[in-house]
Structures are given as structure tokens and as C-alpha cells.
């Protein structure tokens, strides 16, 4: 089996578990901070796929209670829309 | 009250982080205090543009220096900040703009910005493939201007501060400046903790006025909302940052490292205040402006919009000075150019603090100055 640290957490931005762990070592404690430091969650799906995984790692590493974790800031548009469609809207 | 550091810096944006880095390098123990996460203020909301095309001697020379720092950063900080000299092209659609740019170019070259030049509309189209040159007279082009990734830069500086013996506190809001007998003593945080230091720096960006008032110092910095958007990444088209100063213009660039387009425009009228709300109007309007300049971008999809604050002074120049309260410094009011100015401002601020000079290193940056003149390439 591949080394666990090489596991891709954010498929859109190609961010591995090792990169998320490094961000936590540097002192980040929220998914928002991990997102800004590693870009995990800034990809095409806007974190739909990876947010839960990042939160799980944070919970595991820092003993956070999942219910207490701060939600990541949601930015519109919630689905990618082309410049052309927006310009004509 | 234990004194653990020499210098407390309020604000974990580019200015606080860069200043903290250069002070740490000079041997000071630095405590960087940020009320949110690093880059929570304007720095994490900026579009990462870096240019040397200004009109005042102070700004041009600082930016020549900053570009050197950005290009050395990967080695210096040991982290890829995605510096890329992709250039800036300011577009002139009227004879008045053309004349103004030609005059600026002469000034810029005089202060050492050698590669800035006037290009005609045809050349502009070559430099920026896909640029709509209808009605374009030409532009002011500087290929050594560029881009970098703000989170990486600030994180790189913060890691260096820590490895050089300093402290970085996030989610720690300063609520009071401690002073006695006309000298600053330290700060108090929202949790009630008190930290002592002989020097306290106000690097609170758009909140510099509020932090100044904690020390009884008037800092003329006003926040002004600016919105931005970013697209998905597509193949790199080798287009420089395009700046269109017309009332219905804007500025945008493509990141070299991931192909995303990022851009914004200055709203008319301006929107004063600390709001970072996003508007639907911007989400419709910005794509129109981008497609007017580069029609072929139509299919590229927008991923996110957000907004942040410019931190304006009345004359468009930064403040980098000591204050009437001994030991309390103000380094703020970068007027929407703080990311690019950051490295050089941080270096200059550290030298200023270290050599203990009475007068600020650039007279135009004094805290108490005549604010009536104007930087023209705002
Ligand atoms: C949409 C947009 C696009 C931009 N594009 C560019 C660009 O392309 N190039 C460029 O150079 N500039 C750009 N800018 C401007 C740039 O973002 C700012 O000039 C720069 O980030 C200012 O840095 P700063 O460190 O002074 O402020 P900030 O980054 O705001 O840092 C100040 C920090 O102080 C913290 N703080 C405030 N009060 C307290 C307190 N009481 N206690 C503790 N911490 C506190 C804040 O949380 C904040 O993080 C842009 C800005 C916007 C909004
Ligand atoms: S998987 Fe992380 S943004 Fe899509």
C-alpha cells in the first residue's frame, strides 16, 4: 500500500495528506486556514470533496470535536459559471 | 509582567509579516499578533499583482527593491511564492491617457525602471494575445512587473520569524496599547493577556485608524471596499496584467502557476467602510469588462468572488513613521498596493527602527504630513 501521507486529500488541487499535516504542524487549526495555506478546498469543486477529509484530519490531529469545527467560508457562485454567461446575465 | 519579546507587531498581513521578518533577521525578538488567521485582512484578498510603474520617486524605488526581493524569495524563504515576471500593460484609449503614460514612463526611467516602455496598439496585441485593440492607442508596458501568491509569501515570512526565535499569535485580537510616561509599554489582548515590549508597531492595514486610536494616535487610513473574482485554471496564455483605467475598465491577470484568472475593478462611486460583502452586480459586471478586453475568455468559468479593503491615505502614499507616542510606530495605509510594497516596506521599516532615526526614511511617508498632493497611478 502507498504511504498514507501521499494520499490525495484534495483532488482538484492535487494536495496530499502530508501537505495538510505540514500545515497543521505550522499552527493552522481550522479548515479555512488549511485551505488558504495549502489550497485544499480552493479547486473546481469548491471543497465539496475534500472539506470533510480536511476536517477529519484536523479532528484526529488536534483532538477537535467535529461539531465544534468552524465551517469554511462559502464564496459565490456556488457552481462555476462561465464569464460569458455571467456577462450576458 | 514578563517581557518576552523586543518588538510587538499588530497585524498578520504582508506588512506585519515582512517587517517582522526583517526585524528578526536584524536580531530582534518579534511577536506578531493577528486577530484572525494570517492574511485574514486585505492581504489574503488581494489579486497578487506586483508592479513598478508608479509616479513618485519613493514608490518607484521601493518597487524596484520589492521586485528584487520577490525574485529572491524562493531561495530566501525556502518556499515557492510563485513569483512570475509576467509584466503589466496599462492601456491607453485616449490621447490624454497616452500623454500621461508617456510622461510617467520618462519619470520611471529616470528613477531606474529601465524596461518600461510605450507600445502601440499593434505591439500591445502581440504582447497580450487575444487583446481587443479596438479604440486602443497603445499602452505603458513593463515586462519585469509580475505576480506572486500572497498566502505563501506571508506564511514564508511567518515561518522565518518563528525559526529566528520570534512568536506568531493568530486569533489574538489586540484591544489596548499599554503606555506610561509618553512611552509605549506593550499591548493587551481580548483575552486579557498583557504582553510587554519597548516597541509596538501598528501594521493593522485597514484597521490602522482603530489601532492608532488605542494609543491615542490619529492615523488617517480609511478602508474602502474592493471586490474580486477568480476563475478556474486554463492553459497559460502569456497575457500580462491588463490595467484599464476607464470608468468601465478593470484589471486582471492570469496566474502562471495554476492558470487561474483573477481580477477586480475600482467601483464608482467608491464604497467606504470595512464591509467585505460581495455583490451580484460585480459578478455580472467584472466578466463584461474582462470580455471587453479579451473576448476569447468567454468559456472560462468563475469559481469564486469576494471582497476586501483598500487602506487609503488622503494622498495615496503609505505611512511609515514613528508616532508622538515613543516606541509606537505606524506602517500602514498602503492604498491598495501593500502586497507589492510589502517586502521593501518591511526592509525599510526594520532599518528605520534599528537605526533609531528621528525622521522617516521617506519624507512622503511621514505620519504628520501635508496630505494634499496625489500619487497619479493609484
Ligand atoms: C480586491 C483587492 C485587490 C488587491 N490587489 C492588490 C494587488 O494586486 N497588489 C497589491 O500589492 N495589493 C493589492 N491589494 C491591496 C493589498 O491587499 C493591501 O494593500 C495589503 O494587503 C495591506 O497589507 P497590510 O498588511 O497592511 O494589511 P492587512 O493584510 O489587512 O493586515 C492587517 C492585519 O491586521 C489585523 N488586525 C487588525 N486589527 C487588529 C487588532 N486589533 N489586533 C490584531 N490584529 C489586528 C487584521 O486582521 C489583518 O490581518 C488589493 C486589495 C484588494 C481588496
Ligand atoms: S477536492 Fe478540494 S477543492 Fe475539490
Amino acid at each position: 500500500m502507498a504511504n498514507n501521507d501521499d494520499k490525495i486529500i484534495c483532488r482538484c488541487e492535487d494536495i496530499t495528506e502530508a501537505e495538510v499535516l505540514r500545515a497543521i504542524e505550522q499552527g493552522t487549526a481550522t479548515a479555512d486556514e488549511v485551505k488558504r495555506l495549502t489550497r485544499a478546498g480552493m479547486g473546481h469543486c469548491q471543497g465539496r470533496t475534500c472539506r470533510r477529509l480536511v476536517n477529519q484530519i484536523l479532528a484526529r490531529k488536534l483532538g477537535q470535536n467535529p461539531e465544534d469545527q468552524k465551517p469554511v467560508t462559502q464564496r459565490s457562485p456556488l457552481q462555476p459559471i462561465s464569464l460569458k454567461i455571467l456577462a450576458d446575465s | 509582567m514578563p517581557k518576552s519579546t523586543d518588538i510587538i507587531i499588530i497585524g498578520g498581513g504582508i506588512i506585519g509579516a515582512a517587517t517582522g521578518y526583517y526585524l528578526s533577521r536584524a536580531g530582534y525578538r518579534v511577536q506578531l499578533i493577528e486577530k484572525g488567521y494570517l492574511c485574514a485582512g486585505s492581504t489574503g484578498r488581494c489579486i497578487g499583482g506586483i508592479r513598478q510603474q508608479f509616479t513618485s520617486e519613493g514608490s518607484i524605488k521601493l518597487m524596484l527593491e520589492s521586485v528584487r526581493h520577490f525574485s529572491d524569495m524562493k531561495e530566501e524563504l525556502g518556499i515557492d511564492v510563485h513569483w512570475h515576471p509576467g509584466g503589466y500593460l496599462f492601456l491607453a484609449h485616449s490621447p490624454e491617457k497616452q500623454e500621461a503614460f508617456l510622461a510617467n514612463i520618462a519619470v520611471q526611467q529616470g528613477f531606474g525602471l529601465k524596461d518600461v516602455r510605450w507600445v502601440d496598439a499593434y505591439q500591445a496585441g502581440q504582447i497580450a494575445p487575444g487583446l481587443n485593440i479596438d479604440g486602443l492607442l497603445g499602452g505603458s508596458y513593463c515586462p519585469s512587473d509580475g505576480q506572486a501568491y500572497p498566502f505563501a509569501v506571508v506564511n514564508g515570512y511567518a515561518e522565518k520569524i518563528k525559526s529566528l526565535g520570534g512568536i506568531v499569535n493568530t486569533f489574538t485580537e489586540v484591544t489596548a496599547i499599554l503606555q506610561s510616561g509618553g512611552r509605549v509599554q506593550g499591548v493587551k489582548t481580548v483575552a486579557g493577556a498583557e504582553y510587554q515590549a519597548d516597541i509596538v508597531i501598528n501594521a493593522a492595514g485597514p484597521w490602522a485608524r482603530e489601532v492608532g486610536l488605542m494609543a491615542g494616535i490619529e492615523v488617517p487610513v480609511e478602508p474602502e471596499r474592493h471586490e474580486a473574482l477568480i476563475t478556474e485554471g486554463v492553459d497559460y496564455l502569456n497575457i500580462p496584467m491588463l490595467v484599464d483605467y476607464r470608468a468601465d475598465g478593470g484589471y486582471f491577470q492570469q496566474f502562471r502557476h495554476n492558470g487561474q484568472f483573477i481580477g477586480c475593478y475600482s467601483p464608482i462611486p467608491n464604497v467606504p467602510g470595512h464591509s467585505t460583502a460581495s455583490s451580484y452586480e460585480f459578478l455580472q459586471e467584472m466578466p463584461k469588462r474582462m470580455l471587453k478586453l479579451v473576448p476569447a475568455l468567454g468559456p472560462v468559468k468563475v469559481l469564486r468572488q469576494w471582497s476586501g479593503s483598500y487602506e487609503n491615505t488622503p494622498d495615496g502614499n503609505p505611512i511609515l513613521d514613528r508616532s508622538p507616542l515613543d516606541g509606537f510606530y505606524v506602517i500602514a495605509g498602503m492604498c491598495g498596493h501593500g502586497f507589492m510594497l510589502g517586502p521593501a516596506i518591511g526592509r525599510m521599516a526594520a532599518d528605520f527602527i534599528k537605526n533609531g532615526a528621528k525622521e522617516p526614511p521617506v519624507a512622503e511617508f511621514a505620519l504628520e504630513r501635508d496630505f494634499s498632493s496625489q500619487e497619479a497611478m493609484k
Side-chain angles (χ1 to χ4, degrees):
Chain A
M1 225 179 84
N3 181 344
N4 233 7
D5 285 1
D6 294 338
K7 198 165 68 191
I8 298 285
I9 297 299
C10 174
R11 274 180 279 161
C12 298
E13 291 284 325
D14 205 16
I15 308 298
T16 63
E17 175 150 13
E19 288 171 273
V20 174
L21 290 172
R22 201 175 320 128
I24 295 173
E25 266 164 36
Q26 290 181 6
T28 62
T30 63
D32 243 344
E33 291 175 279
V34 170
K35 166 176 146 187
R36 292 179 170 99
L37 201 53
T38 66
R39 305 191 60 83
M42 283 201 182
H44 216 278
C45 82
Q46 293 285 289
R48 260 179 215 90
T49 321
C50 59
R51 194 181 309 135
R52 227 188 56 243
L53 296 171
V54 169
N55 272 328
Q56 281 169 6
I57 300 173
L58 282 164
R60 192 177 79 227
K61 276 284 163 198
L62 303 174
Q64 293 172 347
N65 186 341
E67 277 104 79
D68 298 340
Q69 285 175 334
K70 276 209 211 135
V72 175
T73 315
Q74 292 290 317
R75 306 271 190 215
S76 61
L78 292 178
Q79 297 284 344
I81 307 173
S82 76
L83 287 164
K84 179 91 177 76
I85 290 174
L86 287 165
D88 292 345
S89 67
Chain B
M1 195 163 59
K3 191 180 141 216
S4 55
T5 52
D6 305 315
I7 300 183
I8 290 172
I9 302 177
I10 305 168
I14 182 72
I15 298 300
T19 304
Y21 164 66
Y22 283 103
L23 285 168
S24 301
R25 256 183 38 168
Y28 292 98
R29 277 168 311 159
V30 168
Q31 182 172 12
L32 181 67
I33 305 186
E34 163 56 49
K35 71 175 169 184
Y37 50 84
L38 292 177
C39 286
S42 296
T43 303
R45 297 162 188 278
C46 87
I47 66 165
I50 295 162
R51 63 162 152 115
Q52 304 147 102
Q53 299 181 67
F54 280 87
T55 57
S56 75
E57 177 176 5
S59 298
I60 296 167
K61 292 199 166 152
L62 274 174
M63 282 312 307
L64 284 165
E65 177 185 339
S66 254
V67 162
R68 285 198 300 276
H69 294 310
F70 279 111
S71 55
D72 292 344
M73 229 169 246
K74 190 169 181 177
E75 204 164 321
E76 192 171 353
L77 302 181
I79 166 173
D80 188 354
V81 299
H82 301 298
W83 158 251
H84 170 63
Y88 257 69
L89 176 61
F90 287 79
L91 303 169
H93 293 90
S94 71
E96 296 76 41
K97 264 276 152 313
Q98 171 167 1
E99 213 169 293
F101 286 171
L102 286 170
N104 294 342
I105 289 168
V107 170
Q108 289 155 357
Q109 289 186 334
F111 290 127
L113 182 59
K114 293 299 178 205
D115 64 334
V116 65
R117 61 179 192 268
W118 173 259
V119 294
D120 63 24
Y122 174 78
Q123 292 166 321
Q126 304 287 108
I127 290 164
L131 177 67
N132 171 11
I133 59 171
D134 283 355
L136 184 69
L137 299 179
S140 177
Y141 175 57
C142 179
S144 62
D145 291 343
Q147 53 177 249
Y149 187 54
F151 293 105
V153 173
V154 170
N155 186 57
Y157 281 141
E159 286 302 302
K160 280 285 181 192
I161 291 172
K162 287 193 265 181
S163 67
L164 291 167
I167 302 167
V168 177
N169 299 123
T170 52
F171 297 101
T172 306
E173 183 173 354
V174 169
T175 51
I177 309 286
L178 308 173
Q179 50 177 300
S180 124
R183 263 212 72 85
V184 77
Q185 303 286 316
V187 304
K188 188 172 176 177
T189 72
V190 71
E194 294 191 353
Y195 298 106
Q196 211 177 38
D198 292 336
I199 291 175
V200 174
I201 300 173
N202 175 357
W207 296 271
R209 177 186 290 278
E210 286 86 342
V211 169
L213 288 177
M214 293 176 195
I217 305 292
E218 178 62 37
V219 178
V221 170
E222 296 293 345
E224 180 183 286
R225 188 185 74 169
H226 282 247
E227 297 190 65
L229 63 71
I230 192 161
T231 72
E232 64 185 339
V234 294
D235 287 347
Y236 187 62
L237 303 179
N238 221 341
I239 297 178
M241 172 84 88
L242 297 174
V243 182
D244 177 358
Y245 276 141
R246 289 175 296 180
D248 58 351
Y251 16 103
F252 66 94
Q253 67 174 336
Q254 186 180 20
F255 284 137
R256 179 74 186 90
H257 67 280
N258 65 9
Q260 292 183 303
F261 282 90
I262 186 165
C264 47
Y265 62 79
S266 298
I268 302 174
N270 65 338
V271 186
H274 281 299
S275 163
T276 53
S278 294
S279 74
Y280 188 62
E281 185 195 342
F282 175 83
L283 190 58
Q284 289 177 299
E285 190 56 34
M286 187 67 206
K288 282 199 186 78
R289 298 178 183 205
M290 291 171 73
L291 296 186
K292 197 171 66 181
L293 293 182
V294 186
L297 299 182
V300 180
K301 290 186 179 124
V302 176
L303 288 189
R304 286 186 296 280
Q305 69 170 140
W306 66 92
S307 79
S309 299
Y310 275 24
E311 354 78 271
N312 291 335
T313 62
D315 63 1
N317 270 318
I319 297 169
L320 190 171
D321 202 358
R322 34 173 87 244
S323 77
L325 175 63
D326 226 2
F328 186 68
Y329 289 75
V330 180
I331 312 171
M334 302 296 141
C335 301
H337 309 127
F339 176 60
M340 57 181 95
L341 286 167
I345 287 276
R347 194 280 307 155
M348 179 180 269
D351 285 352
F352 176 47
I353 288 166
K354 192 175 169 198
N355 70 28
K358 290 278 167 261
E359 296 303 320
V362 179
E364 294 157 358
F365 299 170
L367 175 60
E368 288 162 338
R369 65 180 186 249
D370 171 10
F371 280 99
S372 60
S373 65
Q374 283 283 330
E375 162 66 51
M377 292 183 91
K378 261 181 129 170

